[in-house]
Amino acid sequence: MRRRSGRSEAEPRLRSLDRIREELAVAVDRSPADETEILWLETRRGRTGYRVPDLDSYRRRSRQVILRVREGRRPGLHRTGGARTGELAGAVRHALAAARAAPPESLPPLPEGNEAGDSPAAMCDPDLERLHAKAARRLLQEALGDDEAAIIEWTVGQVAIANSRELVRGERASSVMVEVRSGADPGAGFARHAARSLDGLRLVRLVETARERRAPAGAATTPPSGVPVLLAPEATIELVELLNLHAFSSRSILEGESFLLQHKGVQVFDRRLDLTDDACLESGLPFPFDLEGVSKIPVELVSAGVPRTPALDTATAARVGLTPTCHCTGGEEAYPLNTILRPGEHSDQDLFHIAEGGVWVSRLDEVECFDPARMRVRARARGVRRLRGGRLAEPVIDLVWEDSLLRVFSNLLAIGASCFCRPSRDGFLGGTSAPALAVADVDGLSAA
């Protein structure tokens, strides 16, 4: 069969957001349940690379619809990939069946229509909506040198929500992330950043950053012990995301694994450490509302080293007797999606001097938390370098790091001024932003 001319690699397009909102409103209006809420999530994701031979380039489209109903005091939930009004009606019946089998419980009211506010401008980049793999590789090729490589991932997604309290709202957003490697291992320079648009990514500057982090030629050495460790922003982000998942998510609270159950309101971190979830700041890939349709507001997760609150949707907050924080991520789960570790005052050069004699960790791979109550983590440190004379010196072999985040975040020497960002797991609803951290020393740092 002959291929139709004029079709770009980026097609098929996402469905019309206005049409989706209309269909959800109709399905809610026709629902026989006492109360109904329908959430629509749809994404188109792409990934490719330049000079990355093992990379599996792809273009994927996904759709998920989550329905919540209430029959008296009984909640019901159903997930589907259905896309038409008739299929939504069938999904409502499945949710009703789940509600009739559920035990009764005290349920908070659904958000009302007056929750809907104005959305920020420039959430979705038209260039990313049109982007396809060939054009993405060309962008990388134009920015990279002869011995440099990069991976680019981009997402265009949309959310629509409707409920029986006359709340109907939707938003389309985009994000793009690029990882750059300059040179060859073990001394290759690495940099990674994300933004809502191609212009906001500042690709040329990102490549320059990777070049600045490149090691001089030389064999990798073994690390010294008991020395300061300087975590690049890309490494700090991994630790912040572990903290979010195992301490600040609603699931960690309900399952009893979060250290907040014992340490909420108690200073456990360095007083300079502030962790906020702020969907209004560009550095955290902003998004105007959570997946219950509630307008987001800044929430202090950690203030001056003191944990303040976990992320809570309305249902979980009612169960644990706390105030909801507008962090619903679908169904009855909550997770910080616009997390920002507040930057400090120190430039990269300042940090190199502060951590003099120690090691720089470019990134952390294979990261896991094996003891959430004590926030014990294990990771492989890559792109490790010695710090000598206020600069990055010779490369160090890959290391295995095992430590407690409670100890790491209370043992800081300095916090950097420049932040980098990575998108949330869904690719477009938010992101984690963090600066470099200089840590006095870490436990369990050994050769991989």
Side-chain angles (χ1 to χ4, degrees), residues 66-84:
I66 303 174
L67 296 97
R68 291 197 299 171
V69 301
R70 297 174 182 183
E71 277 287 273
R73 296 175 58 204
R74 299 176 186 271
L77 185 144
H78 181 71
R79 299 174 188 266
T80 180
R84 293 182 175 85

Side-chain angles (χ1 to χ4, degrees), residues 116-190:
D118 294 333
S119 297
M123 289 287 297
C124 194
D125 180 13
D127 290 336
L128 285 176
E129 289 196 89
R130 294 188 295 265
L131 188 65
H132 52 83
K134 185 176 180 180
R137 286 191 295 271
R138 187 163 57 247
L139 284 174
L140 299 180
Q141 181 180 6
E142 291 172 355
L144 299 175
D146 291 340
D147 59 349
E148 295 172 335
I151 297 171
I152 182 170
E153 300 181 10
W154 67 98
T155 303
V156 179
Q158 58 190 14
V159 177
I161 303 169
N163 70 25
S164 50
R165 290 179 174 261
E166 300 183 355
L167 185 149
V168 180
R169 67 189 308 185
E171 188 67 63
R172 181 175 291 188
S174 61
S175 71
V176 58
M177 179 179 72
V178 171
E179 296 182 358
V180 179
R181 189 197 73 232
S182 179
D185 289 334
F190 175 83

Side-chain angles (χ1 to χ4, degrees), residues 230 344-356 387 390-391 413-417 438:
L230 180 54
E345 302 175 349
H346 297 284
S347 67
D348 288 349
Q349 199 62 48
D350 292 338
L351 294 173
F352 294 158
H353 285 289
I354 290 170
E356 175 67 26
L387 292 167
R391 64 179 183 86
L413 293 173
I415 301 176

Side-chain angles (χ1 to χ4, degrees), residues 29 46 85 122 189 211 285 321 392 445:
D29 186 59
T85 306
R211 291 169 181 166
L285 300 187
L392 296 174
L445 200 62

Side-chain angles (χ1 to χ4, degrees), residues 30-319:
R30 293 176 177 175
S31 171
D34 292 341
E35 290 191 297
T36 304
E37 176 189 82
I38 307 179
L39 166 66
W40 176 292
L41 285 166
E42 187 178 12
T43 61
R44 180 170 55 77
R45 309 182 73 167
R47 182 181 73 171
T48 190
Y50 184 68
R51 297 200 186 104
V52 188
D54 297 330
L55 178 69
D56 178 23
S57 298
Y58 64 74
R59 183 183 66 203
R60 295 175 183 167
R61 185 179 177 185
S62 67
R63 178 186 300 122
Q64 182 179 201
V65 183
I66 303 174
L67 296 97
R68 291 197 299 171
V69 301
R70 297 174 182 183
E71 277 287 273
R73 296 175 58 204
R74 299 176 186 271
L77 185 144
H78 181 71
R79 299 174 188 266
T80 180
R84 293 182 175 85
T85 306
E87 293 171 324
L88 292 175
V92 170
R93 291 193 292 271
H94 283 293
L96 274 169
R100 289 164 187 147
E105 60 178 290
S106 178
L107 299 170
L110 292 174
E112 296 187 357
N114 58 15
E115 284 286 351
D118 294 333
S119 297
M123 289 287 297
C124 194
D125 180 13
D127 290 336
L128 285 176
E129 289 196 89
R130 294 188 295 265
L131 188 65
H132 52 83
K134 185 176 180 180
R137 286 191 295 271
R138 187 163 57 247
L139 284 174
L140 299 180
Q141 181 180 6
E142 291 172 355
L144 299 175
D146 291 340
D147 59 349
E148 295 172 335
I151 297 171
I152 182 170
E153 300 181 10
W154 67 98
T155 303
V156 179
Q158 58 190 14
V159 177
I161 303 169
N163 70 25
S164 50
R165 290 179 174 261
E166 300 183 355
L167 185 149
V168 180
R169 67 189 308 185
E171 188 67 63
R172 181 175 291 188
S174 61
S175 71
V176 58
M177 179 179 72
V178 171
E179 296 182 358
V180 179
R181 189 197 73 232
S182 179
D185 289 334
F190 175 83
R192 180 182 62 209
H193 189 48
R196 282 275 177 230
S197 66
L198 283 170
D199 288 344
L201 186 65
R202 299 180 182 175
L203 178 58
V204 172
R205 178 60 191 135
L206 189 65
V207 173
E208 291 174 355
T209 299
R211 291 169 181 166
E212 292 166 1
R213 295 175 175 179
R214 183 171 174 171
T221 62
T222 56
S225 59
V227 297
V229 173
L230 180 54
L231 299 170
E234 294 86 343
T236 305
I237 286 173
E238 300 290 344
L239 302 185
V240 171
E241 292 193 343
L242 274 188
L243 198 65
N244 285 342
L245 180 62
H246 294 285
F248 291 99
S249 68
S250 62
R251 179 174 294 181
S252 70
I253 297 295
L254 291 175
E255 294 179 354
E257 71 172 17
S258 173
F259 79 89
L260 263 67
L261 296 170
Q262 289 79 37
H263 298 292
K264 183 171 175 286
V266 178
Q267 185 185 348
V268 293
F269 301 129
D270 189 287
R271 290 184 183 275
R272 291 169 290 182
L273 193 138
D274 293 307
L275 185 65
T276 184
D277 190 89
D278 193 338
C280 302
L281 295 180
E282 184 178 350
S283 58
L285 300 187
F287 199 82
F289 53 87
D290 75 353
L291 298 192
E292 288 182 301
V294 181
S295 297
K296 289 189 175 183
I297 58 173
V299 176
E300 292 289 336
L301 303 175
V302 178
S303 178
V306 179
R308 297 299 183 185
T309 182
L312 298 167
D313 60 286
T314 54
T316 304
R319 290 190 182 106

